[in-house]
Amino acid sequence: LIPEMAEWMQGIRDSLDVLCLQEFYEPDLSGMQGSTRAISKALNLPYYYTNPIVSDSIPGFMSLMIFSKYPIH
């Protein structure tokens, strides 16, 4: 994560139950280990959901992403 984004996340970490991001980019399709894992861990939001849009023109996927403190059913 870029330093500015990491600093912003630390400032909002304790006030979040849910975070929704549009145009979320995940470069790693093998289990969402890159950006997804970093944000989930940094914000203490262990549950996440996305419906990935995969394209041949870019590696990984771009999509809406929901992170949550609570299980998403």
Side-chain angles (χ1 to χ4, degrees):
L1 296 174
I2 59 173
E4 294 84 5
M5 188 171 194
E7 183 179 329
W8 172 77
M9 286 181 181
Q10 290 303 315
I12 64 170
R13 176 183 173 140
D14 295 332
S15 65
L16 290 178
D17 289 335
V18 175
L19 175 68
C20 300
L21 300 172
Q22 67 183 34
E23 298 182 22
F24 180 84
Y25 175 64
E26 173 58 74
D28 183 4
L29 283 174
S30 61
M32 294 188 275
Q33 301 300 310
S35 302
T36 303
R37 177 173 238 159
I39 291 172
S40 177
K41 186 176 180 179
L43 295 177
N44 195 29
L45 298 173
Y47 304 99
Y48 48 86
Y49 175 80
T50 190
N51 188 11
I53 300 167
V54 179
S55 170
D56 292 336
S57 63
I58 61 169
F61 70 84
M62 186 166 270
S63 183
L64 298 174
M65 180 64 86
I66 301 168
F67 293 92
S68 176
K69 189 181 289 187
Y70 308 102
I72 301 171
H73 298 282

